[in-house]
Amino acid sequence: MAASLSFSGSARLLAALGRSSVLHSSFESRGLHVTAVCFKNRAARIRIGKGDQPLTYEQAHHPHQIAHRKGWLSQHASNLKGEGGAAERTMEDVFIRKFMFGTFHGCLADEVVIKRRGNALIVCALMLQKMPPQKFYFLIGYSESLLSHFYKCPVKLEIQTLQSKAVYKYI
Amino acid sequence: MAAPLVLRRDLFSFARILGGISQLGPRCLSACSSHNWKCNQTRFQPLQTSSTFFHTATYLSSTPSSITVTDEPDTLFQKVVVLVKAHDRAVLDSYEFFATMAAKELGIAMGKVFEPPKDIERLTLLKSVHIYKKHRVQYEMRTHYRCIELLHITGSTAQVYLEYIQRNLPEGVAMEVTKVTKRTRTATFMENVKNSRMKLNFLLCSHL
């Protein structure tokens, strides 16, 4: 298919392949790959580097580890069988994540976790101690009241602060 | 019901702010009043470890429903089936333990508590934005179930138990309740029964 071998004699190629299949353990034989380019998965993965980039637990694990080593960042019942409203919940989640990123700029230590219990929206976040606590309390109250007016449901913020980001490994 | 809730939350946030300020100590309050921001920052430095370690917690409180006394007889349920759905099996395990313990403490007769087989909904989508039809990506959504049956329960007991169970439903868990009760023999019901019997007799006679 994609392999265009320009040397003459398909017989020579067949002979070479025959030799490689019989003497595959010999140092003279070589495997020949004749497929199209196979795409590696790149979703939500940080590629391996020199060893100086710190990663949190969330960033270090790939998406296929969800429900094994990772949990869920957004917990609601719309994706269950027989339940509706998944698109609306997803839009709300996207807006809330952007809002939190903008309001607490530079203070977020890890991804925001969004939980829905009944009518209430609970936004959980880990923050770095970049601002004095009074500013934090003001921003928490501001976000809670603004989001609850916007989404017409009680919105609660659960914030926990850290000195610095929790590093899981260096990549 | 909304007003006392708002007041309670405001009180909590006020108490938190007061607690935060009191932790700083009287020295820093006098520094704050001088309106010198740089001075404030240097003052905060030695106490930063104790004052900025805070976290907020949610208080999901609400007024309890009032008890009503009526003369009409209570509805009786032969069976109340509670089906709980979730993406995580461990969450359902703990919820089942909680529900069965609550029913045992309240003295409710339990039927079977079993786990129906899980449902997996799979999607196969194209991996690339443009062309490359042979390379796809597969996603799946797993729904685990748990079924709890309650037998021979009265209406008021069912209401109380279900309200308690539903208030403590974890996030990302859905519940379906099926109630089985015997219907009383009303006049229209008896009419329908008589009509259907007459139709059956007519059909049998016309065949002969």
Side-chain angles (χ1 to χ4, degrees), chain A residues 37 39 41 72 75-77 79-81 83 115-117 122 129 132-134 136-137 140 144 155-161 163, chain B residues 9 21 24 44 48-49 51-56 58-60 85-88 119 127 132 135 141 143 145 169 171-172 174:
Chain A
V37 177
F39 286 99
N41 284 331
W72 284 270
Q75 286 163 344
H76 55 273
N79 281 324
L80 295 165
K81 186 149 188 169
E83 308 286 329
K115 301 181 189 180
R116 282 180 179 82
R117 245 177 260 165
I122 298 152
Q129 289 157 5
Q134 286 80 14
F136 264 119
Y137 287 132
I140 288 165
E144 278 186 357
V155 176
K156 307 253 166 73
L157 250 64
E158 280 188 21
I159 307 291
Q160 193 162 359
T161 53
Q163 285 278 0
Chain B
R9 282 202 35 224
I21 291 172
L24 294 171
F44 278 164
Q48 199 161 20
T49 46
S51 64
T52 46
F53 267 137
F54 71 92
H55 68 275
T56 59
T58 48
Y59 301 99
L60 285 168
K85 302 186 267 192
H87 287 300
D88 199 355
D119 277 322
K127 197 191 269 189
Y132 301 115
H135 302 96
M141 287 180 280
T143 308
Y145 299 101
L169 203 64
E171 50 280 339

Short mmCIF file of all heavy atoms in Angstrom, two decimals, chain A residues 37 39 41 72 75-77 79-81 83 115-117 122 129 132-134 136-137 140 144 155-161 163, chain B residues 9 21 24 44 48-49 51-56 58-60 85-88 119 127 132 135 141 143 145 169 171-172 174:
data_model
loop_
_atom_site.label_atom_id
_atom_site.label_comp_id
_atom_site.label_asym_id
_atom_site.label_seq_id
_atom_site.Cartn_x
_atom_site.Cartn_y
_atom_site.Cartn_z
N VAL A 37 0.69 4.78 8.15
CA VAL A 37 1.12 5.33 9.44
C VAL A 37 0.06 5.07 10.50
O VAL A 37 -1.10 5.40 10.31
CB VAL A 37 1.37 6.85 9.31
CG1 VAL A 37 1.73 7.44 10.64
CG2 VAL A 37 2.45 7.11 8.29
N PHE A 39 -1.63 5.97 13.92
CA PHE A 39 -1.67 7.12 14.79
C PHE A 39 -1.60 6.71 16.24
O PHE A 39 -2.31 5.82 16.67
CB PHE A 39 -2.96 7.90 14.56
CG PHE A 39 -2.94 8.67 13.27
CD1 PHE A 39 -3.56 8.18 12.15
CD2 PHE A 39 -2.28 9.88 13.19
CE1 PHE A 39 -3.54 8.88 10.96
CE2 PHE A 39 -2.25 10.59 12.01
CZ PHE A 39 -2.88 10.09 10.88
N ASN A 41 -2.36 7.59 20.16
CA ASN A 41 -3.35 8.40 20.84
C ASN A 41 -2.67 9.58 21.51
O ASN A 41 -1.64 9.43 22.15
CB ASN A 41 -4.07 7.56 21.91
CG ASN A 41 -5.07 6.62 21.29
OD1 ASN A 41 -5.62 6.89 20.24
ND2 ASN A 41 -5.28 5.51 21.94
N TRP A 72 -13.61 10.89 38.42
CA TRP A 72 -14.26 11.75 37.45
C TRP A 72 -14.18 13.19 37.92
O TRP A 72 -14.36 13.49 39.09
CB TRP A 72 -15.73 11.35 37.29
CG TRP A 72 -15.93 10.13 36.51
CD1 TRP A 72 -16.11 10.03 35.16
CD2 TRP A 72 -15.99 8.77 37.00
NE1 TRP A 72 -16.29 8.72 34.80
CE2 TRP A 72 -16.21 7.93 35.90
CE3 TRP A 72 -15.88 8.21 38.27
CZ2 TRP A 72 -16.32 6.55 36.01
CZ3 TRP A 72 -15.99 6.84 38.38
CH2 TRP A 72 -16.20 6.02 37.27
N GLN A 75 -19.28 15.10 38.11
CA GLN A 75 -20.14 13.99 38.52
C GLN A 75 -21.60 14.42 38.46
O GLN A 75 -22.04 15.25 39.25
CB GLN A 75 -19.77 13.55 39.93
CG GLN A 75 -18.47 12.80 39.92
CD GLN A 75 -17.85 12.68 41.28
OE1 GLN A 75 -18.20 13.39 42.20
NE2 GLN A 75 -16.91 11.78 41.41
N HIS A 76 -22.32 13.83 37.49
CA HIS A 76 -23.75 14.07 37.40
C HIS A 76 -24.40 12.82 36.83
O HIS A 76 -23.70 11.93 36.35
CB HIS A 76 -24.05 15.29 36.53
CG HIS A 76 -23.46 15.19 35.16
ND1 HIS A 76 -22.19 15.60 34.86
CD2 HIS A 76 -23.97 14.73 34.00
CE1 HIS A 76 -21.94 15.39 33.60
NE2 HIS A 76 -23.02 14.86 33.04
N ALA A 77 -25.73 12.77 36.90
CA ALA A 77 -26.43 11.54 36.52
C ALA A 77 -26.92 11.56 35.09
O ALA A 77 -27.68 10.68 34.70
CB ALA A 77 -27.60 11.32 37.48
N ASN A 79 -25.32 11.11 32.20
CA ASN A 79 -24.74 10.16 31.25
C ASN A 79 -25.13 8.72 31.55
O ASN A 79 -24.66 7.81 30.88
CB ASN A 79 -23.22 10.28 31.26
CG ASN A 79 -22.75 11.46 30.44
OD1 ASN A 79 -23.34 11.76 29.42
ND2 ASN A 79 -21.71 12.12 30.89
N LEU A 80 -25.98 8.50 32.55
CA LEU A 80 -26.44 7.15 32.85
C LEU A 80 -27.50 6.75 31.85
O LEU A 80 -28.12 7.58 31.20
CB LEU A 80 -27.02 7.09 34.27
CG LEU A 80 -26.02 7.36 35.39
CD1 LEU A 80 -26.75 7.63 36.67
CD2 LEU A 80 -25.10 6.18 35.57
N LYS A 81 -27.74 5.45 31.73
CA LYS A 81 -28.71 4.95 30.76
C LYS A 81 -30.11 5.39 31.16
O LYS A 81 -30.55 5.19 32.28
CB LYS A 81 -28.64 3.43 30.72
CG LYS A 81 -29.48 2.82 29.65
CD LYS A 81 -28.86 1.55 29.15
CE LYS A 81 -29.64 1.07 27.94
NZ LYS A 81 -28.95 0.01 27.25
N GLU A 83 -31.19 8.51 31.25
CA GLU A 83 -31.25 9.86 31.81
C GLU A 83 -30.93 10.86 30.71
O GLU A 83 -30.16 10.56 29.80
CB GLU A 83 -30.24 10.02 32.95
CG GLU A 83 -30.32 8.97 34.03
CD GLU A 83 -31.51 9.15 34.93
OE1 GLU A 83 -31.94 10.29 35.14
OE2 GLU A 83 -32.03 8.14 35.43
N LYS A 115 -19.64 18.69 41.27
CA LYS A 115 -20.56 17.63 41.70
C LYS A 115 -21.97 18.19 41.71
O LYS A 115 -22.18 19.35 42.05
CB LYS A 115 -20.22 17.18 43.12
CG LYS A 115 -18.84 16.65 43.30
CD LYS A 115 -18.67 16.23 44.73
CE LYS A 115 -17.23 15.88 45.01
NZ LYS A 115 -17.01 15.48 46.38
N ARG A 116 -22.93 17.34 41.36
CA ARG A 116 -24.33 17.77 41.42
C ARG A 116 -25.10 16.84 42.35
O ARG A 116 -25.23 15.65 42.06
CB ARG A 116 -24.95 17.74 40.03
CG ARG A 116 -24.53 18.92 39.20
CD ARG A 116 -25.16 18.86 37.84
NE ARG A 116 -24.80 19.99 37.02
CZ ARG A 116 -23.67 20.09 36.34
NH1 ARG A 116 -22.80 19.12 36.39
NH2 ARG A 116 -23.39 21.16 35.63
N ARG A 117 -25.58 17.39 43.45
CA ARG A 117 -26.35 16.60 44.41
C ARG A 117 -27.74 17.18 44.44
O ARG A 117 -27.95 18.27 44.96
CB ARG A 117 -25.71 16.72 45.80
CG ARG A 117 -25.15 15.45 46.33
CD ARG A 117 -24.49 15.68 47.64
NE ARG A 117 -23.05 15.77 47.52
CZ ARG A 117 -22.24 16.26 48.46
NH1 ARG A 117 -22.74 16.71 49.57
NH2 ARG A 117 -20.93 16.29 48.26
N ILE A 122 -22.01 21.76 43.42
CA ILE A 122 -20.90 21.92 44.36
C ILE A 122 -19.62 21.92 43.55
O ILE A 122 -19.32 20.97 42.83
CB ILE A 122 -20.91 20.78 45.40
CG1 ILE A 122 -22.20 20.85 46.19
CG2 ILE A 122 -19.73 20.91 46.33
CD1 ILE A 122 -22.65 19.52 46.72
N GLN A 129 -1.74 29.37 47.93
CA GLN A 129 -1.89 30.48 48.88
C GLN A 129 -1.22 31.73 48.34
O GLN A 129 -0.24 32.21 48.90
CB GLN A 129 -1.29 30.09 50.22
CG GLN A 129 -2.12 29.05 50.92
CD GLN A 129 -1.34 28.25 51.93
OE1 GLN A 129 -0.18 28.56 52.18
NE2 GLN A 129 -1.95 27.24 52.49
N PRO A 132 -4.16 36.83 50.41
CA PRO A 132 -4.60 36.73 51.80
C PRO A 132 -6.00 36.16 51.89
O PRO A 132 -6.78 36.32 50.95
CB PRO A 132 -4.55 38.18 52.29
CG PRO A 132 -4.48 39.02 51.08
CD PRO A 132 -3.85 38.20 50.01
N PRO A 133 -6.34 35.51 53.04
CA PRO A 133 -7.63 34.79 53.13
C PRO A 133 -8.84 35.68 52.93
O PRO A 133 -9.85 35.22 52.40
CB PRO A 133 -7.62 34.23 54.55
CG PRO A 133 -6.25 34.29 55.01
CD PRO A 133 -5.50 35.30 54.21
N GLN A 134 -8.76 36.98 53.29
CA GLN A 134 -9.94 37.84 53.12
C GLN A 134 -10.31 37.97 51.65
O GLN A 134 -11.49 37.95 51.28
CB GLN A 134 -9.69 39.25 53.69
CG GLN A 134 -9.70 39.32 55.19
CD GLN A 134 -8.41 38.86 55.82
OE1 GLN A 134 -7.41 38.72 55.12
NE2 GLN A 134 -8.43 38.61 57.10
N PHE A 136 -9.68 35.74 49.37
CA PHE A 136 -10.23 34.45 48.98
C PHE A 136 -11.71 34.36 49.36
O PHE A 136 -12.54 33.94 48.56
CB PHE A 136 -9.48 33.31 49.67
CG PHE A 136 -8.41 32.71 48.81
CD1 PHE A 136 -7.08 32.74 49.21
CD2 PHE A 136 -8.72 32.10 47.60
CE1 PHE A 136 -6.09 32.20 48.42
CE2 PHE A 136 -7.73 31.56 46.81
CZ PHE A 136 -6.41 31.61 47.22
N TYR A 137 -12.02 34.78 50.60
CA TYR A 137 -13.41 34.69 51.05
C TYR A 137 -14.31 35.56 50.20
O TYR A 137 -15.43 35.17 49.85
CB TYR A 137 -13.52 35.08 52.53
CG TYR A 137 -12.97 34.05 53.47
CD1 TYR A 137 -12.11 34.39 54.51
CD2 TYR A 137 -13.32 32.71 53.35
CE1 TYR A 137 -11.61 33.45 55.37
CE2 TYR A 137 -12.83 31.75 54.20
CZ TYR A 137 -11.98 32.13 55.22
OH TYR A 137 -11.48 31.18 56.07
N ILE A 140 -14.83 33.82 46.89
CA ILE A 140 -15.69 32.65 47.05
C ILE A 140 -17.15 33.10 47.11
O ILE A 140 -18.02 32.56 46.42
CB ILE A 140 -15.31 31.85 48.31
CG1 ILE A 140 -13.97 31.11 48.08
CG2 ILE A 140 -16.38 30.84 48.67
CD1 ILE A 140 -13.36 30.60 49.34
N GLU A 144 -20.01 32.30 44.32
CA GLU A 144 -21.20 31.54 44.73
C GLU A 144 -22.47 32.29 44.36
O GLU A 144 -23.39 31.73 43.75
CB GLU A 144 -21.18 31.30 46.25
CG GLU A 144 -20.32 30.13 46.66
CD GLU A 144 -20.43 29.83 48.15
OE1 GLU A 144 -21.13 30.57 48.87
OE2 GLU A 144 -19.81 28.87 48.58
N VAL A 155 -25.43 27.15 44.59
CA VAL A 155 -24.06 26.82 44.19
C VAL A 155 -23.17 26.96 45.42
O VAL A 155 -23.18 27.99 46.08
CB VAL A 155 -23.58 27.75 43.06
CG1 VAL A 155 -22.13 27.46 42.73
CG2 VAL A 155 -24.43 27.59 41.83
N LYS A 156 -22.41 25.91 45.75
CA LYS A 156 -21.51 25.96 46.90
C LYS A 156 -20.09 25.73 46.40
O LYS A 156 -19.87 24.90 45.52
CB LYS A 156 -21.87 24.85 47.90
CG LYS A 156 -23.32 24.84 48.30
CD LYS A 156 -23.52 25.34 49.70
CE LYS A 156 -24.98 25.64 49.93
NZ LYS A 156 -25.78 24.41 50.04
N LEU A 157 -19.15 26.44 47.00
CA LEU A 157 -17.74 26.27 46.63
C LEU A 157 -17.01 25.59 47.78
O LEU A 157 -17.13 26.01 48.92
CB LEU A 157 -17.10 27.64 46.38
CG LEU A 157 -16.74 27.97 44.94
CD1 LEU A 157 -17.96 28.05 44.09
CD2 LEU A 157 -15.95 29.23 44.86
N GLU A 158 -16.27 24.54 47.50
CA GLU A 158 -15.45 23.88 48.53
C GLU A 158 -14.00 24.09 48.14
O GLU A 158 -13.53 23.53 47.15
CB GLU A 158 -15.77 22.37 48.57
CG GLU A 158 -17.02 22.04 49.33
CD GLU A 158 -17.20 20.55 49.53
OE1 GLU A 158 -16.21 19.81 49.46
OE2 GLU A 158 -18.34 20.14 49.74
N ILE A 159 -13.33 24.94 48.91
CA ILE A 159 -11.95 25.32 48.56
C ILE A 159 -11.01 24.77 49.63
O ILE A 159 -11.32 24.80 50.82
CB ILE A 159 -11.83 26.87 48.52
CG1 ILE A 159 -12.89 27.46 47.62
CG2 ILE A 159 -10.45 27.29 48.09
CD1 ILE A 159 -12.71 27.17 46.17
N GLN A 160 -9.88 24.26 49.19
CA GLN A 160 -8.83 23.86 50.12
C GLN A 160 -7.53 24.46 49.59
O GLN A 160 -7.30 24.44 48.38
CB GLN A 160 -8.74 22.34 50.18
CG GLN A 160 -7.90 21.87 51.32
CD GLN A 160 -8.14 20.41 51.65
OE1 GLN A 160 -8.95 19.74 51.04
NE2 GLN A 160 -7.41 19.92 52.61
N THR A 161 -6.71 24.99 50.49
CA THR A 161 -5.51 25.68 50.01
C THR A 161 -4.26 24.87 50.31
O THR A 161 -4.19 24.11 51.26
CB THR A 161 -5.36 27.07 50.66
OG1 THR A 161 -5.43 26.91 52.06
CG2 THR A 161 -6.46 28.00 50.20
N GLN A 163 0.31 25.05 49.95
CA GLN A 163 1.48 25.92 49.79
C GLN A 163 1.91 25.96 48.34
O GLN A 163 2.21 27.01 47.79
CB GLN A 163 2.63 25.39 50.65
CG GLN A 163 2.47 25.64 52.12
CD GLN A 163 2.92 27.05 52.51
OE1 GLN A 163 3.33 27.83 51.66
NE2 GLN A 163 2.80 27.36 53.77
N ARG B 9 -26.33 30.78 55.99
CA ARG B 9 -25.07 30.74 55.24
C ARG B 9 -24.29 32.01 55.44
O ARG B 9 -23.08 32.01 55.52
CB ARG B 9 -25.35 30.50 53.76
CG ARG B 9 -25.66 29.04 53.53
CD ARG B 9 -25.47 28.54 52.16
NE ARG B 9 -24.40 29.14 51.44
CZ ARG B 9 -24.52 29.53 50.18
NH1 ARG B 9 -25.65 29.42 49.55
NH2 ARG B 9 -23.50 30.06 49.54
N ILE B 21 -9.77 36.47 60.81
CA ILE B 21 -9.14 37.70 61.30
C ILE B 21 -8.57 37.47 62.68
O ILE B 21 -7.47 37.92 63.00
CB ILE B 21 -10.14 38.88 61.29
CG1 ILE B 21 -10.46 39.26 59.83
CG2 ILE B 21 -9.56 40.07 62.01
CD1 ILE B 21 -11.57 40.27 59.71
N LEU B 24 -5.13 36.04 62.95
CA LEU B 24 -3.98 36.88 62.63
C LEU B 24 -3.40 37.54 63.87
O LEU B 24 -2.21 37.77 63.98
CB LEU B 24 -4.38 37.97 61.63
CG LEU B 24 -4.78 37.47 60.24
CD1 LEU B 24 -5.35 38.58 59.43
CD2 LEU B 24 -3.59 36.87 59.53
N PHE B 44 2.34 39.80 57.20
CA PHE B 44 1.70 38.49 56.99
C PHE B 44 2.72 37.37 56.91
O PHE B 44 2.41 36.25 57.19
CB PHE B 44 0.88 38.50 55.69
CG PHE B 44 -0.48 39.11 55.85
CD1 PHE B 44 -1.20 39.50 54.75
CD2 PHE B 44 -1.05 39.30 57.10
CE1 PHE B 44 -2.46 40.07 54.87
CE2 PHE B 44 -2.30 39.86 57.23
CZ PHE B 44 -3.01 40.25 56.12
N GLN B 48 2.06 33.34 57.83
CA GLN B 48 1.39 32.85 56.62
C GLN B 48 1.00 31.39 56.74
O GLN B 48 -0.03 30.97 56.28
CB GLN B 48 2.30 33.04 55.41
CG GLN B 48 1.55 32.99 54.12
CD GLN B 48 2.35 33.63 53.00
OE1 GLN B 48 3.55 33.77 53.11
NE2 GLN B 48 1.69 34.03 51.94
N THR B 49 1.84 30.58 57.38
CA THR B 49 1.55 29.15 57.43
C THR B 49 0.28 28.88 58.22
O THR B 49 -0.51 28.02 57.87
CB THR B 49 2.71 28.40 58.10
OG1 THR B 49 3.08 29.11 59.27
CG2 THR B 49 3.88 28.30 57.15
N SER B 51 -2.31 31.22 58.94
CA SER B 51 -3.52 31.95 58.57
C SER B 51 -4.06 31.54 57.22
O SER B 51 -5.25 31.63 57.00
CB SER B 51 -3.24 33.45 58.56
OG SER B 51 -2.28 33.71 57.55
N THR B 52 -3.22 31.07 56.29
CA THR B 52 -3.74 30.79 54.96
C THR B 52 -4.10 29.32 54.77
O THR B 52 -4.50 28.91 53.72
CB THR B 52 -2.76 31.22 53.88
OG1 THR B 52 -1.48 30.78 54.26
CG2 THR B 52 -2.78 32.71 53.72
N PHE B 53 -3.93 28.50 55.83
CA PHE B 53 -4.39 27.12 55.72
C PHE B 53 -5.86 27.09 56.07
O PHE B 53 -6.22 26.94 57.22
CB PHE B 53 -3.64 26.22 56.72
CG PHE B 53 -2.43 25.59 56.15
CD1 PHE B 53 -1.25 25.52 56.87
CD2 PHE B 53 -2.45 25.04 54.87
CE1 PHE B 53 -0.13 24.92 56.34
CE2 PHE B 53 -1.32 24.45 54.33
CZ PHE B 53 -0.15 24.39 55.07
N PHE B 54 -6.73 27.31 55.10
CA PHE B 54 -8.15 27.22 55.42
C PHE B 54 -8.82 26.37 54.35
O PHE B 54 -8.29 26.18 53.27
CB PHE B 54 -8.78 28.61 55.46
CG PHE B 54 -8.91 29.26 54.11
CD1 PHE B 54 -10.06 29.11 53.35
CD2 PHE B 54 -7.89 30.02 53.59
CE1 PHE B 54 -10.18 29.70 52.11
CE2 PHE B 54 -8.00 30.61 52.35
CZ PHE B 54 -9.15 30.46 51.60
N HIS B 55 -9.96 25.86 54.68
CA HIS B 55 -10.78 25.21 53.67
C HIS B 55 -12.24 25.42 54.04
O HIS B 55 -12.57 25.59 55.20
CB HIS B 55 -10.45 23.71 53.57
CG HIS B 55 -10.85 22.92 54.77
ND1 HIS B 55 -10.06 22.80 55.88
CD2 HIS B 55 -11.96 22.21 55.03
CE1 HIS B 55 -10.66 22.04 56.76
NE2 HIS B 55 -11.81 21.67 56.29
N THR B 56 -13.06 25.46 53.03
CA THR B 56 -14.49 25.66 53.26
C THR B 56 -15.20 24.33 53.06
O THR B 56 -14.75 23.48 52.31
CB THR B 56 -15.05 26.68 52.27
OG1 THR B 56 -14.81 26.20 50.95
CG2 THR B 56 -14.38 28.02 52.43
N THR B 58 -19.26 22.47 52.69
CA THR B 58 -20.65 22.81 52.38
C THR B 58 -21.56 22.38 53.51
O THR B 58 -21.41 21.30 54.08
CB THR B 58 -21.11 22.07 51.12
OG1 THR B 58 -20.73 20.71 51.25
CG2 THR B 58 -20.49 22.66 49.88
N TYR B 59 -22.50 23.26 53.84
CA TYR B 59 -23.52 22.92 54.83
C TYR B 59 -24.83 22.82 54.07
O TYR B 59 -25.44 23.83 53.77
CB TYR B 59 -23.61 24.01 55.90
CG TYR B 59 -22.31 24.21 56.62
CD1 TYR B 59 -21.45 25.25 56.27
CD2 TYR B 59 -21.93 23.37 57.66
CE1 TYR B 59 -20.26 25.44 56.94
CE2 TYR B 59 -20.73 23.56 58.32
CZ TYR B 59 -19.90 24.59 57.96
OH TYR B 59 -18.72 24.78 58.61
N LEU B 60 -25.24 21.59 53.74
CA LEU B 60 -26.48 21.41 52.99
C LEU B 60 -27.60 21.21 53.99
O LEU B 60 -28.04 20.10 54.26
CB LEU B 60 -26.38 20.20 52.04
CG LEU B 60 -25.54 20.42 50.80
CD1 LEU B 60 -25.27 19.11 50.11
CD2 LEU B 60 -26.22 21.36 49.83
N LYS B 85 -28.78 3.72 39.99
CA LYS B 85 -27.86 3.60 38.86
C LYS B 85 -26.66 4.50 39.08
O LYS B 85 -26.82 5.63 39.56
CB LYS B 85 -28.55 4.08 37.57
CG LYS B 85 -29.81 3.36 37.21
CD LYS B 85 -30.30 3.83 35.86
CE LYS B 85 -31.29 4.95 36.02
NZ LYS B 85 -32.00 5.23 34.77
N ALA B 86 -25.48 4.04 38.71
CA ALA B 86 -24.29 4.87 38.84
C ALA B 86 -23.22 4.39 37.87
O ALA B 86 -23.32 3.29 37.33
CB ALA B 86 -23.76 4.83 40.26
N HIS B 87 -22.18 5.22 37.71
CA HIS B 87 -21.06 4.82 36.85
C HIS B 87 -20.03 4.01 37.62
O HIS B 87 -19.20 3.33 37.03
CB HIS B 87 -20.36 6.07 36.29
CG HIS B 87 -21.16 6.77 35.24
ND1 HIS B 87 -21.53 6.16 34.07
CD2 HIS B 87 -21.65 8.02 35.18
CE1 HIS B 87 -22.22 7.01 33.34
NE2 HIS B 87 -22.31 8.15 33.99
N ASP B 88 -20.07 4.11 38.96
CA ASP B 88 -19.03 3.52 39.81
C ASP B 88 -19.63 2.45 40.71
O ASP B 88 -20.58 2.72 41.44
CB ASP B 88 -18.42 4.65 40.66
CG ASP B 88 -17.06 4.27 41.20
OD1 ASP B 88 -16.62 3.12 41.00
OD2 ASP B 88 -16.43 5.15 41.82
N ASP B 119 -24.97 -2.20 32.06
CA ASP B 119 -25.19 -1.83 30.67
C ASP B 119 -24.00 -1.04 30.20
O ASP B 119 -23.58 -0.09 30.86
CB ASP B 119 -26.45 -0.95 30.54
CG ASP B 119 -27.71 -1.78 30.49
OD1 ASP B 119 -27.68 -2.84 29.85
OD2 ASP B 119 -28.70 -1.36 31.08
N LYS B 127 -11.07 9.10 14.60
CA LYS B 127 -10.02 9.67 15.46
C LYS B 127 -9.58 11.03 14.94
O LYS B 127 -9.23 11.90 15.71
CB LYS B 127 -8.84 8.71 15.48
CG LYS B 127 -7.87 8.96 16.61
CD LYS B 127 -6.61 8.17 16.42
CE LYS B 127 -6.70 6.82 17.08
NZ LYS B 127 -5.39 6.14 17.09
N TYR B 132 -8.73 9.83 7.10
CA TYR B 132 -8.26 8.71 7.95
C TYR B 132 -9.44 7.93 8.51
O TYR B 132 -9.67 7.87 9.71
CB TYR B 132 -7.33 9.18 9.08
CG TYR B 132 -6.12 9.89 8.55
CD1 TYR B 132 -5.90 11.22 8.81
CD2 TYR B 132 -5.21 9.21 7.72
CE1 TYR B 132 -4.82 11.88 8.29
CE2 TYR B 132 -4.12 9.88 7.20
CZ TYR B 132 -3.93 11.22 7.49
OH TYR B 132 -2.85 11.87 6.98
N HIS B 135 -8.90 4.81 11.04
CA HIS B 135 -8.44 4.99 12.42
C HIS B 135 -9.56 5.60 13.23
O HIS B 135 -9.95 6.73 13.01
CB HIS B 135 -7.19 5.86 12.46
CG HIS B 135 -6.08 5.27 11.64
ND1 HIS B 135 -5.85 5.64 10.36
CD2 HIS B 135 -5.19 4.30 11.93
CE1 HIS B 135 -4.83 4.93 9.88
NE2 HIS B 135 -4.43 4.12 10.81
N MET B 141 -19.78 4.04 27.96
CA MET B 141 -20.39 4.56 29.19
C MET B 141 -21.01 3.37 29.90
O MET B 141 -21.90 2.73 29.37
CB MET B 141 -21.46 5.58 28.84
CG MET B 141 -20.86 6.89 28.36
SD MET B 141 -22.09 8.11 27.96
CE MET B 141 -22.60 7.60 26.34
N THR B 143 -23.12 1.72 32.97
CA THR B 143 -24.13 2.01 33.99
C THR B 143 -24.29 0.76 34.84
O THR B 143 -24.72 -0.28 34.37
CB THR B 143 -25.48 2.36 33.34
OG1 THR B 143 -25.27 3.38 32.38
CG2 THR B 143 -26.46 2.83 34.37
N TYR B 145 -26.07 -1.11 38.20
CA TYR B 145 -27.37 -1.03 38.88
C TYR B 145 -27.31 -1.71 40.22
O TYR B 145 -26.47 -2.59 40.46
CB TYR B 145 -28.45 -1.73 38.04
CG TYR B 145 -28.66 -1.15 36.68
CD1 TYR B 145 -28.13 -1.75 35.55
CD2 TYR B 145 -29.43 0.00 36.52
CE1 TYR B 145 -28.34 -1.22 34.30
CE2 TYR B 145 -29.65 0.53 35.27
CZ TYR B 145 -29.09 -0.09 34.16
OH TYR B 145 -29.30 0.45 32.93
N LEU B 169 -28.43 10.81 48.74
CA LEU B 169 -27.99 10.20 47.48
C LEU B 169 -26.68 10.85 47.05
O LEU B 169 -26.60 12.08 47.00
CB LEU B 169 -29.08 10.46 46.44
CG LEU B 169 -29.17 9.53 45.24
CD1 LEU B 169 -29.52 8.15 45.68
CD2 LEU B 169 -30.23 10.05 44.29
N GLU B 171 -23.50 12.18 44.62
CA GLU B 171 -23.53 12.84 43.31
C GLU B 171 -23.25 11.81 42.23
O GLU B 171 -22.50 10.87 42.44
CB GLU B 171 -22.49 13.97 43.26
CG GLU B 171 -21.10 13.59 43.69
CD GLU B 171 -20.93 13.56 45.20
OE1 GLU B 171 -21.72 14.19 45.91
OE2 GLU B 171 -20.02 12.88 45.66
N GLY B 172 -23.88 11.98 41.08
CA GLY B 172 -23.65 11.06 39.97
C GLY B 172 -24.43 9.75 40.08
O GLY B 172 -24.12 8.80 39.39
N ALA B 174 -28.35 8.03 40.12
CA ALA B 174 -29.75 8.26 39.83
C ALA B 174 -30.58 7.16 40.48
O ALA B 174 -30.11 6.04 40.67
CB ALA B 174 -29.99 8.25 38.32
#
